[in-house]
Amino acid sequence: MAEPLFTPEEQKKFDAGIAEIISHYPPDRKSAGMLPALRLLQDLKGWLPPEGLRLVAKKLEVTPERAMEVASFYVMYHLKKPGKYVIDVCTNLSCSLWGAEKMLAYLEEKLGLKAGEANEKFTLRETECLASCGTAPCLQINEDHHESLTKAKLDAILAKLS
Amino acid sequence: MASTAKAIEPIISAAWGKPQSWTLDSYRKRGGYEALKRALEMQPAAIIDEVKKSNLRGRGGAGFPTGLKWSFVPKDSPKPKYLAVNGDESEPGTFKDRYILSDDPHMMLEGIAIASYALGVHTCYVYLRGEFKFQAERTQAAIDEAYKAGIFGKTLLGKDFELNCYVVRGAGAYICGEETALLESLEGKKGWPRLKPPFPAVVGLFGCPTVVNNVETLASVPAVFQKGADAYAKLGTDKSGGTRLVCLSGSVNRPGVYEVSMFTTLSELIYDDQYGRGLPAGRKVKAVIPGGSSAPVLGADELDVAMEFEALKVKQTMAGSGGVIVMDDATCMVRSLWRVARFYAEESCGQCTPCREGTPWQTRLLRKIEEGRGEPGDIDMLSNVASSIAPYPPIGLGNTICALGDAAALPTHSFLMRYRDEFEAHIREHRCPFGDKPWGSFGDWS
């Protein structure tokens, strides 16, 4: 028999979370909770496993295809299991003027990954604007934002990632 | 240069950086929610008139008069009405809402309460870009405080008016900042913009009348009722009341968000001691994008212009969402445009063919030119591709459902118009005349 998607603890969190999400919308508009429901699933599992997508669709009373359509449109949802740390480096204009391209090259060398690649520990991505142009260059690791980065600061941040 | 720009009394940014500025206690000590009390003594129609009189214009990009937008909501609709707060701040160069949400969320919540009461809205959704985890938590904490204090919930500050407010995080799609794409996303769908009309004020969220306002716009509302509409209007120009936040980034000594008078010029913002403090020694301004990456670029000789909607329109550009990006004389304009073009190619939702096909085409041509592989016909091709997405000028008459197409084409048109010689030099010399140098020469990454 396939392993269950959730541990009992996760199942409790998922059910409570879905109930809370649905309560924010009109009763006939459960499907509006799709984005927060996908985030809830991803927070619990680290990504969106297919059986989880089917479960979200069932809870929100839509087809699994609809859940997949939404999940694949937005870049923050992981349809494949990412590395433990997802690093999103902003390389848009303001950040690039403050060295973001070089910061990305430094990271690529240090992690042994090209932008767009992943290993078990890291997923490295080039991203488009993190709305932090005044504190460039910046990046996000999972959901934590880091700004005004220097080499020393970045090295210190990376050193803390086990 | 010493400070010559007229200092203003900040309204929106007054508490930023101060201890616990995000708490209800701090906000109340500064007179928070007094404006709501005043508004609740008025009739809803009078509140809308007051906002009209204040000349407050939307701070999200389009600059549409806020009171007028509110007045479009039908009063006799049997359907529920909604307020959607646009906090999907994602345009390169724009980063002001981040600070409102993290440092003074109650100011926005008070604006939400006033707007909701005026419009007869009982449910408000605060849509924040997915990457704003910290800001979402701060906003949620402020909402929780407001519920606990009886500001939100079954009664609105003691008045018999139910108001519920929910934070919704997006998931990394710039297009969801477009108001109808935002509504689609709020409905749990992919962010595909809708055809307009009908406009959201009439057919919006769940098919019901909906007002979509930017975070800064709503954060500006309490001041209208604290100061009075006339006094608020007088802070600005004839057509644009109040102060505004501008975001300064790129090649300046002190990037940041500054609250300025509508009369402040771009030149003052860049050089004045209160703001950007100029460029590093030996550097000169080459170009400035005045209103987020979609705004047509201005040259160094055009900076004596007030950062206000009408004045920038005269210069055939726009104040947009207040994102000023400065490029110095060592910056390659081809590479700059390539960076900007990539953004629109990545963020096109794919619904309209000119945008879906045109934005990556622009990006490929720019990369080719920047890498020294450009051919003589490429500049005209680039211009043609941009024209197919949105002709130039006028602004806002593109061939796509939403303005993302315009936003992707306008930078191309304006860069080619002002800096064509740089594009030609790349093709003639089969290389980038600026080399790798300008990229990373700020900060310690050189």
Side-chain angles (χ1 to χ4, degrees), chain A residues 24 39 74 76 91 94 97-98 101-102 126 129-131 143 149, chain B residues 98 125 129 169-171 185 189 249-250 335 339 342 439 442 445:
Chain A
H24 297 173
R39 182 176 296 280
Y74 296 92
M76 289 179 77
T91 54
S94 303
L97 287 166
W98 278 76
E101 287 187 355
K102 294 196 171 178
E126 199 171 352
C129 197
L130 293 169
E143 294 194 316
L149 289 168
Chain B
R98 167 186 287 277
Y125 296 100
R129 65 173 298 175
R169 278 172 72 190
S185 188
K189 303 175 204 158
S249 66
R335 200 172 185 94
R339 281 280 156 210
R342 261 176 46 133
W439 302 94
F442 287 83
W445 296 94

PDB file of all heavy atoms in Angstrom, chain A residues 24 39 74 76 91 94 97-98 101-102 126 129-131 143 149, chain B residues 98 125 129 169-171 185 189 249-250 335 339 342 439 442 445:
ATOM      1  N   HIS A  24     -13.117  32.154   4.502  1.00  0.00           N
ATOM      2  CA  HIS A  24     -12.879  33.536   4.066  1.00  0.00           C
ATOM      3  C   HIS A  24     -13.661  33.910   2.807  1.00  0.00           C
ATOM      4  O   HIS A  24     -13.607  35.053   2.367  1.00  0.00           O
ATOM      5  CB  HIS A  24     -11.385  33.760   3.792  1.00  0.00           C
ATOM      6  CG  HIS A  24     -10.532  33.592   5.004  1.00  0.00           C
ATOM      7  ND1 HIS A  24      -9.158  33.607   4.952  1.00  0.00           N
ATOM      8  CD2 HIS A  24     -10.841  33.404   6.307  1.00  0.00           C
ATOM      9  CE1 HIS A  24      -8.662  33.433   6.161  1.00  0.00           C
ATOM     10  NE2 HIS A  24      -9.672  33.301   7.007  1.00  0.00           N
ATOM     11  N   ARG A  39      -0.590  26.832  -1.051  1.00  0.00           N
ATOM     12  CA  ARG A  39       0.510  27.257  -0.178  1.00  0.00           C
ATOM     13  C   ARG A  39       0.538  26.392   1.091  1.00  0.00           C
ATOM     14  O   ARG A  39       1.600  25.991   1.566  1.00  0.00           O
ATOM     15  CB  ARG A  39       0.371  28.740   0.174  1.00  0.00           C
ATOM     16  CG  ARG A  39       1.510  29.257   1.039  1.00  0.00           C
ATOM     17  CD  ARG A  39       1.382  30.739   1.292  1.00  0.00           C
ATOM     18  NE  ARG A  39       1.489  31.520   0.072  1.00  0.00           N
ATOM     19  CZ  ARG A  39       2.624  31.838  -0.520  1.00  0.00           C
ATOM     20  NH1 ARG A  39       3.763  31.449   0.010  1.00  0.00           N
ATOM     21  NH2 ARG A  39       2.631  32.555  -1.618  1.00  0.00           N
ATOM     22  N   TYR A  74       1.922  29.795 -11.476  1.00  0.00           N
ATOM     23  CA  TYR A  74       2.659  30.646 -10.527  1.00  0.00           C
ATOM     24  C   TYR A  74       4.030  30.043 -10.205  1.00  0.00           C
ATOM     25  O   TYR A  74       4.131  28.842  -9.957  1.00  0.00           O
ATOM     26  CB  TYR A  74       1.846  30.796  -9.238  1.00  0.00           C
ATOM     27  CG  TYR A  74       0.522  31.507  -9.436  1.00  0.00           C
ATOM     28  CD1 TYR A  74      -0.642  30.796  -9.694  1.00  0.00           C
ATOM     29  CD2 TYR A  74       0.444  32.893  -9.382  1.00  0.00           C
ATOM     30  CE1 TYR A  74      -1.864  31.447  -9.870  1.00  0.00           C
ATOM     31  CE2 TYR A  74      -0.767  33.549  -9.550  1.00  0.00           C
ATOM     32  CZ  TYR A  74      -1.918  32.822  -9.803  1.00  0.00           C
ATOM     33  OH  TYR A  74      -3.114  33.471  -9.984  1.00  0.00           O
ATOM     34  N   MET A  76       6.001  30.336  -7.639  1.00  0.00           N
ATOM     35  CA  MET A  76       6.392  29.959  -6.279  1.00  0.00           C
ATOM     36  C   MET A  76       5.943  28.555  -5.869  1.00  0.00           C
ATOM     37  O   MET A  76       6.289  28.084  -4.800  1.00  0.00           O
ATOM     38  CB  MET A  76       5.862  30.984  -5.274  1.00  0.00           C
ATOM     39  CG  MET A  76       6.601  32.321  -5.377  1.00  0.00           C
ATOM     40  SD  MET A  76       5.979  33.550  -4.232  1.00  0.00           S
ATOM     41  CE  MET A  76       6.721  32.982  -2.715  1.00  0.00           C
ATOM     42  N   THR A  91      17.890  39.658 -10.556  1.00  0.00           N
ATOM     43  CA  THR A  91      18.912  40.228 -11.438  1.00  0.00           C
ATOM     44  C   THR A  91      18.325  41.322 -12.321  1.00  0.00           C
ATOM     45  O   THR A  91      18.846  41.615 -13.384  1.00  0.00           O
ATOM     46  CB  THR A  91      19.544  39.148 -12.344  1.00  0.00           C
ATOM     47  OG1 THR A  91      18.487  38.481 -13.038  1.00  0.00           O
ATOM     48  CG2 THR A  91      20.360  38.162 -11.552  1.00  0.00           C
ATOM     49  N   SER A  94      17.812  47.405 -11.346  1.00  0.00           N
ATOM     50  CA  SER A  94      18.361  48.076 -10.169  1.00  0.00           C
ATOM     51  C   SER A  94      19.337  47.171  -9.428  1.00  0.00           C
ATOM     52  O   SER A  94      20.386  47.616  -8.955  1.00  0.00           O
ATOM     53  CB  SER A  94      17.237  48.499  -9.215  1.00  0.00           C
ATOM     54  OG  SER A  94      16.329  49.329  -9.884  1.00  0.00           O
ATOM     55  N   LEU A  97      22.612  46.803 -11.409  1.00  0.00           N
ATOM     56  CA  LEU A  97      23.490  47.973 -11.290  1.00  0.00           C
ATOM     57  C   LEU A  97      24.300  47.925  -9.988  1.00  0.00           C
ATOM     58  O   LEU A  97      25.345  48.549  -9.873  1.00  0.00           O
ATOM     59  CB  LEU A  97      22.669  49.262 -11.358  1.00  0.00           C
ATOM     60  CG  LEU A  97      22.122  49.620 -12.744  1.00  0.00           C
ATOM     61  CD1 LEU A  97      21.064  50.709 -12.654  1.00  0.00           C
ATOM     62  CD2 LEU A  97      23.238  50.058 -13.685  1.00  0.00           C
ATOM     63  N   TRP A  98      23.805  47.178  -9.031  1.00  0.00           N
ATOM     64  CA  TRP A  98      24.518  47.020  -7.759  1.00  0.00           C
ATOM     65  C   TRP A  98      25.159  45.635  -7.637  1.00  0.00           C
ATOM     66  O   TRP A  98      25.440  45.164  -6.530  1.00  0.00           O
ATOM     67  CB  TRP A  98      23.580  47.289  -6.578  1.00  0.00           C
ATOM     68  CG  TRP A  98      23.446  48.764  -6.314  1.00  0.00           C
ATOM     69  CD1 TRP A  98      22.700  49.643  -7.047  1.00  0.00           C
ATOM     70  CD2 TRP A  98      24.090  49.534  -5.307  1.00  0.00           C
ATOM     71  NE1 TRP A  98      22.836  50.904  -6.537  1.00  0.00           N
ATOM     72  CE2 TRP A  98      23.676  50.872  -5.466  1.00  0.00           C
ATOM     73  CE3 TRP A  98      24.964  49.230  -4.274  1.00  0.00           C
ATOM     74  CZ2 TRP A  98      24.123  51.910  -4.633  1.00  0.00           C
ATOM     75  CZ3 TRP A  98      25.406  50.255  -3.439  1.00  0.00           C
ATOM     76  CH2 TRP A  98      24.990  51.575  -3.626  1.00  0.00           C
ATOM     77  N   GLU A 101      24.368  40.511 -11.055  1.00  0.00           N
ATOM     78  CA  GLU A 101      24.851  39.518 -12.030  1.00  0.00           C
ATOM     79  C   GLU A 101      26.113  38.845 -11.503  1.00  0.00           C
ATOM     80  O   GLU A 101      26.305  37.651 -11.646  1.00  0.00           O
ATOM     81  CB  GLU A 101      25.148  40.189 -13.370  1.00  0.00           C
ATOM     82  CG  GLU A 101      23.907  40.586 -14.141  1.00  0.00           C
ATOM     83  CD  GLU A 101      24.228  41.100 -15.540  1.00  0.00           C
ATOM     84  OE1 GLU A 101      25.423  41.244 -15.877  1.00  0.00           O
ATOM     85  OE2 GLU A 101      23.282  41.366 -16.288  1.00  0.00           O
ATOM     86  N   LYS A 102      26.961  39.675 -10.882  1.00  0.00           N
ATOM     87  CA  LYS A 102      28.205  39.108 -10.342  1.00  0.00           C
ATOM     88  C   LYS A 102      27.926  38.273  -9.102  1.00  0.00           C
ATOM     89  O   LYS A 102      28.598  37.280  -8.857  1.00  0.00           O
ATOM     90  CB  LYS A 102      29.192  40.233 -10.039  1.00  0.00           C
ATOM     91  CG  LYS A 102      29.617  40.910 -11.317  1.00  0.00           C
ATOM     92  CD  LYS A 102      30.839  41.751 -11.163  1.00  0.00           C
ATOM     93  CE  LYS A 102      31.264  42.188 -12.552  1.00  0.00           C
ATOM     94  NZ  LYS A 102      32.426  43.056 -12.541  1.00  0.00           N
ATOM     95  N   GLU A 126      17.263  32.351 -11.031  1.00  0.00           N
ATOM     96  CA  GLU A 126      17.339  33.770 -11.314  1.00  0.00           C
ATOM     97  C   GLU A 126      15.890  34.248 -11.294  1.00  0.00           C
ATOM     98  O   GLU A 126      15.029  33.638 -11.934  1.00  0.00           O
ATOM     99  CB  GLU A 126      17.939  33.963 -12.712  1.00  0.00           C
ATOM    100  CG  GLU A 126      18.486  35.331 -12.955  1.00  0.00           C
ATOM    101  CD  GLU A 126      19.270  35.394 -14.273  1.00  0.00           C
ATOM    102  OE1 GLU A 126      19.502  34.351 -14.904  1.00  0.00           O
ATOM    103  OE2 GLU A 126      19.618  36.515 -14.667  1.00  0.00           O
ATOM    104  N   CYS A 129      12.750  40.537 -10.070  1.00  0.00           N
ATOM    105  CA  CYS A 129      12.362  41.632  -9.170  1.00  0.00           C
ATOM    106  C   CYS A 129      11.689  41.148  -7.884  1.00  0.00           C
ATOM    107  O   CYS A 129      10.614  40.562  -7.894  1.00  0.00           O
ATOM    108  CB  CYS A 129      11.448  42.652  -9.845  1.00  0.00           C
ATOM    109  SG  CYS A 129      11.398  44.190  -8.885  1.00  0.00           S
ATOM    110  N   LEU A 130      12.323  41.460  -6.778  1.00  0.00           N
ATOM    111  CA  LEU A 130      11.792  41.107  -5.455  1.00  0.00           C
ATOM    112  C   LEU A 130      11.271  42.345  -4.724  1.00  0.00           C
ATOM    113  O   LEU A 130      11.031  42.310  -3.522  1.00  0.00           O
ATOM    114  CB  LEU A 130      12.872  40.407  -4.626  1.00  0.00           C
ATOM    115  CG  LEU A 130      13.289  39.019  -5.138  1.00  0.00           C
ATOM    116  CD1 LEU A 130      14.538  38.517  -4.410  1.00  0.00           C
ATOM    117  CD2 LEU A 130      12.163  38.009  -4.974  1.00  0.00           C
ATOM    118  N   ALA A 131      11.086  43.451  -5.470  1.00  0.00           N
ATOM    119  CA  ALA A 131      10.575  44.700  -4.882  1.00  0.00           C
ATOM    120  C   ALA A 131      11.438  45.157  -3.722  1.00  0.00           C
ATOM    121  O   ALA A 131      10.950  45.515  -2.656  1.00  0.00           O
ATOM    122  CB  ALA A 131       9.114  44.559  -4.460  1.00  0.00           C
ATOM    123  N   GLU A 143      11.634  31.456   2.048  1.00  0.00           N
ATOM    124  CA  GLU A 143      10.805  32.676   2.044  1.00  0.00           C
ATOM    125  C   GLU A 143      11.457  33.812   2.821  1.00  0.00           C
ATOM    126  O   GLU A 143      10.815  34.813   3.105  1.00  0.00           O
ATOM    127  CB  GLU A 143       9.424  32.346   2.606  1.00  0.00           C
ATOM    128  CG  GLU A 143       8.688  31.390   1.678  1.00  0.00           C
ATOM    129  CD  GLU A 143       7.217  31.286   1.982  1.00  0.00           C
ATOM    130  OE1 GLU A 143       6.849  31.193   3.174  1.00  0.00           O
ATOM    131  OE2 GLU A 143       6.435  31.306   1.035  1.00  0.00           O
ATOM    132  N   LEU A 149      23.255  43.046  -0.016  1.00  0.00           N
ATOM    133  CA  LEU A 149      24.216  41.962   0.180  1.00  0.00           C
ATOM    134  C   LEU A 149      25.616  42.324  -0.289  1.00  0.00           C
ATOM    135  O   LEU A 149      25.808  42.908  -1.354  1.00  0.00           O
ATOM    136  CB  LEU A 149      23.726  40.706  -0.555  1.00  0.00           C
ATOM    137  CG  LEU A 149      22.515  40.049   0.111  1.00  0.00           C
ATOM    138  CD1 LEU A 149      21.887  39.006  -0.804  1.00  0.00           C
ATOM    139  CD2 LEU A 149      22.889  39.429   1.447  1.00  0.00           C
TER     140      LEU A 149
ATOM    141  N   ARG B  98       6.165  47.819   0.311  1.00  0.00           N
ATOM    142  CA  ARG B  98       6.885  46.955   1.260  1.00  0.00           C
ATOM    143  C   ARG B  98       7.015  47.636   2.625  1.00  0.00           C
ATOM    144  O   ARG B  98       6.795  47.009   3.655  1.00  0.00           O
ATOM    145  CB  ARG B  98       8.283  46.692   0.678  1.00  0.00           C
ATOM    146  CG  ARG B  98       9.282  46.072   1.634  1.00  0.00           C
ATOM    147  CD  ARG B  98      10.664  46.021   0.967  1.00  0.00           C
ATOM    148  NE  ARG B  98      10.725  45.007  -0.073  1.00  0.00           N
ATOM    149  CZ  ARG B  98      10.960  43.709   0.144  1.00  0.00           C
ATOM    150  NH1 ARG B  98      11.164  43.270   1.368  1.00  0.00           N
ATOM    151  NH2 ARG B  98      11.012  42.857  -0.843  1.00  0.00           N
ATOM    152  N   TYR B 125     -10.222  42.065   0.812  1.00  0.00           N
ATOM    153  CA  TYR B 125      -9.079  41.157   0.653  1.00  0.00           C
ATOM    154  C   TYR B 125      -7.825  41.990   0.380  1.00  0.00           C
ATOM    155  O   TYR B 125      -7.811  42.828  -0.519  1.00  0.00           O
ATOM    156  CB  TYR B 125      -9.306  40.190  -0.509  1.00  0.00           C
ATOM    157  CG  TYR B 125     -10.475  39.249  -0.278  1.00  0.00           C
ATOM    158  CD1 TYR B 125     -11.722  39.507  -0.856  1.00  0.00           C
ATOM    159  CD2 TYR B 125     -10.340  38.122   0.526  1.00  0.00           C
ATOM    160  CE1 TYR B 125     -12.800  38.655  -0.642  1.00  0.00           C
ATOM    161  CE2 TYR B 125     -11.416  37.273   0.755  1.00  0.00           C
ATOM    162  CZ  TYR B 125     -12.635  37.534   0.164  1.00  0.00           C
ATOM    163  OH  TYR B 125     -13.703  36.697   0.393  1.00  0.00           O
ATOM    164  N   ARG B 129       1.926  40.367  -2.818  1.00  0.00           N
ATOM    165  CA  ARG B 129       2.750  39.481  -3.640  1.00  0.00           C
ATOM    166  C   ARG B 129       3.272  38.339  -2.760  1.00  0.00           C
ATOM    167  O   ARG B 129       3.570  38.532  -1.574  1.00  0.00           O
ATOM    168  CB  ARG B 129       3.882  40.224  -4.328  1.00  0.00           C
ATOM    169  CG  ARG B 129       4.921  40.817  -3.427  1.00  0.00           C
ATOM    170  CD  ARG B 129       6.082  41.394  -4.216  1.00  0.00           C
ATOM    171  NE  ARG B 129       6.759  40.360  -4.973  1.00  0.00           N
ATOM    172  CZ  ARG B 129       7.747  40.570  -5.825  1.00  0.00           C
ATOM    173  NH1 ARG B 129       8.172  41.791  -6.050  1.00  0.00           N
ATOM    174  NH2 ARG B 129       8.317  39.592  -6.475  1.00  0.00           N
ATOM    175  N   ARG B 169      -1.992  35.846  -0.071  1.00  0.00           N
ATOM    176  CA  ARG B 169      -0.685  35.976  -0.732  1.00  0.00           C
ATOM    177  C   ARG B 169      -0.742  35.391  -2.131  1.00  0.00           C
ATOM    178  O   ARG B 169      -1.294  34.312  -2.336  1.00  0.00           O
ATOM    179  CB  ARG B 169       0.386  35.242   0.070  1.00  0.00           C
ATOM    180  CG  ARG B 169       0.919  36.071   1.231  1.00  0.00           C
ATOM    181  CD  ARG B 169       1.819  35.234   2.107  1.00  0.00           C
ATOM    182  NE  ARG B 169       3.095  34.946   1.481  1.00  0.00           N
ATOM    183  CZ  ARG B 169       3.966  34.067   1.978  1.00  0.00           C
ATOM    184  NH1 ARG B 169       3.689  33.388   3.055  1.00  0.00           N
ATOM    185  NH2 ARG B 169       5.120  33.864   1.375  1.00  0.00           N
ATOM    186  N   GLY B 170      -0.188  36.122  -3.074  1.00  0.00           N
ATOM    187  CA  GLY B 170      -0.043  35.607  -4.432  1.00  0.00           C
ATOM    188  C   GLY B 170       1.039  34.543  -4.443  1.00  0.00           C
ATOM    189  O   GLY B 170       1.485  34.069  -3.394  1.00  0.00           O
ATOM    190  N   ALA B 171       1.490  34.182  -5.631  1.00  0.00           N
ATOM    191  CA  ALA B 171       2.482  33.106  -5.691  1.00  0.00           C
ATOM    192  C   ALA B 171       3.518  33.374  -6.784  1.00  0.00           C
ATOM    193  O   ALA B 171       3.958  32.460  -7.475  1.00  0.00           O
ATOM    194  CB  ALA B 171       1.788  31.766  -5.886  1.00  0.00           C
ATOM    195  N   SER B 185      -6.989  35.999  -9.736  1.00  0.00           N
ATOM    196  CA  SER B 185      -6.142  35.283  -8.788  1.00  0.00           C
ATOM    197  C   SER B 185      -6.855  35.141  -7.439  1.00  0.00           C
ATOM    198  O   SER B 185      -6.801  34.079  -6.807  1.00  0.00           O
ATOM    199  CB  SER B 185      -4.816  36.032  -8.633  1.00  0.00           C
ATOM    200  OG  SER B 185      -3.905  35.279  -7.882  1.00  0.00           O
ATOM    201  N   LYS B 189      -7.797  31.460  -9.478  1.00  0.00           N
ATOM    202  CA  LYS B 189      -7.448  31.043 -10.841  1.00  0.00           C
ATOM    203  C   LYS B 189      -6.065  31.554 -11.224  1.00  0.00           C
ATOM    204  O   LYS B 189      -5.466  32.343 -10.488  1.00  0.00           O
ATOM    205  CB  LYS B 189      -8.473  31.610 -11.829  1.00  0.00           C
ATOM    206  CG  LYS B 189      -9.908  31.207 -11.546  1.00  0.00           C
ATOM    207  CD  LYS B 189     -10.828  31.922 -12.518  1.00  0.00           C
ATOM    208  CE  LYS B 189     -12.225  32.056 -11.970  1.00  0.00           C
ATOM    209  NZ  LYS B 189     -12.950  33.136 -12.623  1.00  0.00           N
ATOM    210  N   SER B 249      16.369  54.131  -7.019  1.00  0.00           N
ATOM    211  CA  SER B 249      17.320  53.007  -7.051  1.00  0.00           C
ATOM    212  C   SER B 249      18.269  53.172  -8.226  1.00  0.00           C
ATOM    213  O   SER B 249      18.118  54.070  -9.047  1.00  0.00           O
ATOM    214  CB  SER B 249      16.571  51.682  -7.151  1.00  0.00           C
ATOM    215  OG  SER B 249      15.900  51.572  -8.385  1.00  0.00           O
ATOM    216  N   GLY B 250      19.250  52.287  -8.298  1.00  0.00           N
ATOM    217  CA  GLY B 250      20.236  52.348  -9.377  1.00  0.00           C
ATOM    218  C   GLY B 250      21.462  53.126  -8.962  1.00  0.00           C
ATOM    219  O   GLY B 250      21.890  53.082  -7.802  1.00  0.00           O
ATOM    220  N   ARG B 335      22.126  46.587 -22.576  1.00  0.00           N
ATOM    221  CA  ARG B 335      22.015  45.599 -21.503  1.00  0.00           C
ATOM    222  C   ARG B 335      20.884  45.980 -20.535  1.00  0.00           C
ATOM    223  O   ARG B 335      20.150  45.125 -20.041  1.00  0.00           O
ATOM    224  CB  ARG B 335      23.337  45.482 -20.747  1.00  0.00           C
ATOM    225  CG  ARG B 335      23.439  44.186 -19.972  1.00  0.00           C
ATOM    226  CD  ARG B 335      24.839  43.998 -19.378  1.00  0.00           C
ATOM    227  NE  ARG B 335      24.953  42.704 -18.750  1.00  0.00           N
ATOM    228  CZ  ARG B 335      25.417  41.606 -19.329  1.00  0.00           C
ATOM    229  NH1 ARG B 335      25.782  41.657 -20.588  1.00  0.00           N
ATOM    230  NH2 ARG B 335      25.508  40.464 -18.679  1.00  0.00           N
ATOM    231  N   ARG B 339      17.664  43.635 -19.721  1.00  0.00           N
ATOM    232  CA  ARG B 339      17.209  43.263 -18.371  1.00  0.00           C
ATOM    233  C   ARG B 339      15.710  43.540 -18.202  1.00  0.00           C
ATOM    234  O   ARG B 339      14.982  42.738 -17.645  1.00  0.00           O
ATOM    235  CB  ARG B 339      17.980  44.059 -17.310  1.00  0.00           C
ATOM    236  CG  ARG B 339      19.349  43.521 -17.026  1.00  0.00           C
ATOM    237  CD  ARG B 339      19.269  42.332 -16.092  1.00  0.00           C
ATOM    238  NE  ARG B 339      20.431  41.478 -16.244  1.00  0.00           N
ATOM    239  CZ  ARG B 339      20.424  40.164 -16.043  1.00  0.00           C
ATOM    240  NH1 ARG B 339      19.317  39.550 -15.681  1.00  0.00           N
ATOM    241  NH2 ARG B 339      21.507  39.460 -16.191  1.00  0.00           N
ATOM    242  N   ARG B 342      13.528  41.222 -20.481  1.00  0.00           N
ATOM    243  CA  ARG B 342      13.446  39.856 -19.928  1.00  0.00           C
ATOM    244  C   ARG B 342      12.327  39.751 -18.901  1.00  0.00           C
ATOM    245  O   ARG B 342      11.625  38.752 -18.811  1.00  0.00           O
ATOM    246  CB  ARG B 342      14.763  39.531 -19.216  1.00  0.00           C
ATOM    247  CG  ARG B 342      15.736  38.710 -19.994  1.00  0.00           C
ATOM    248  CD  ARG B 342      17.007  38.582 -19.188  1.00  0.00           C
ATOM    249  NE  ARG B 342      16.655  38.254 -17.803  1.00  0.00           N
ATOM    250  CZ  ARG B 342      17.242  37.286 -17.103  1.00  0.00           C
ATOM    251  NH1 ARG B 342      18.188  36.585 -17.651  1.00  0.00           N
ATOM    252  NH2 ARG B 342      16.887  37.059 -15.865  1.00  0.00           N
ATOM    253  N   TRP B 439      28.435  46.372 -14.733  1.00  0.00           N
ATOM    254  CA  TRP B 439      27.559  45.445 -14.033  1.00  0.00           C
ATOM    255  C   TRP B 439      28.216  44.942 -12.791  1.00  0.00           C
ATOM    256  O   TRP B 439      29.047  44.072 -12.821  1.00  0.00           O
ATOM    257  CB  TRP B 439      27.128  44.330 -14.976  1.00  0.00           C
ATOM    258  CG  TRP B 439      26.447  44.985 -16.118  1.00  0.00           C
ATOM    259  CD1 TRP B 439      27.012  45.350 -17.300  1.00  0.00           C
ATOM    260  CD2 TRP B 439      25.122  45.501 -16.128  1.00  0.00           C
ATOM    261  NE1 TRP B 439      26.103  46.032 -18.053  1.00  0.00           N
ATOM    262  CE2 TRP B 439      24.929  46.136 -17.355  1.00  0.00           C
ATOM    263  CE3 TRP B 439      24.077  45.465 -15.204  1.00  0.00           C
ATOM    264  CZ2 TRP B 439      23.724  46.746 -17.691  1.00  0.00           C
ATOM    265  CZ3 TRP B 439      22.884  46.068 -15.539  1.00  0.00           C
ATOM    266  CH2 TRP B 439      22.707  46.698 -16.763  1.00  0.00           C
ATOM    267  N   PHE B 442      28.864  48.860  -8.515  1.00  0.00           N
ATOM    268  CA  PHE B 442      28.407  49.428  -7.258  1.00  0.00           C
ATOM    269  C   PHE B 442      28.463  48.322  -6.212  1.00  0.00           C
ATOM    270  O   PHE B 442      28.494  47.149  -6.540  1.00  0.00           O
ATOM    271  CB  PHE B 442      26.976  49.950  -7.381  1.00  0.00           C
ATOM    272  CG  PHE B 442      26.897  51.214  -8.180  1.00  0.00           C
ATOM    273  CD1 PHE B 442      26.860  51.169  -9.554  1.00  0.00           C
ATOM    274  CD2 PHE B 442      26.878  52.443  -7.536  1.00  0.00           C
ATOM    275  CE1 PHE B 442      26.798  52.330 -10.294  1.00  0.00           C
ATOM    276  CE2 PHE B 442      26.824  53.611  -8.273  1.00  0.00           C
ATOM    277  CZ  PHE B 442      26.777  53.548  -9.666  1.00  0.00           C
ATOM    278  N   TRP B 445      30.780  44.152  -5.298  1.00  0.00           N
ATOM    279  CA  TRP B 445      30.843  43.011  -6.205  1.00  0.00           C
ATOM    280  C   TRP B 445      31.705  43.270  -7.435  1.00  0.00           C
ATOM    281  O   TRP B 445      31.692  42.482  -8.375  1.00  0.00           O
ATOM    282  CB  TRP B 445      29.423  42.617  -6.645  1.00  0.00           C
ATOM    283  CG  TRP B 445      28.608  42.154  -5.490  1.00  0.00           C
ATOM    284  CD1 TRP B 445      27.770  42.912  -4.735  1.00  0.00           C
ATOM    285  CD2 TRP B 445      28.581  40.842  -4.925  1.00  0.00           C
ATOM    286  NE1 TRP B 445      27.212  42.157  -3.737  1.00  0.00           N
ATOM    287  CE2 TRP B 445      27.692  40.873  -3.841  1.00  0.00           C
ATOM    288  CE3 TRP B 445      29.220  39.639  -5.231  1.00  0.00           C
ATOM    289  CZ2 TRP B 445      27.426  39.754  -3.050  1.00  0.00           C
ATOM    290  CZ3 TRP B 445      28.946  38.528  -4.456  1.00  0.00           C
ATOM    291  CH2 TRP B 445      28.068  38.588  -3.374  1.00  0.00           C
TER     292      TRP B 445
END
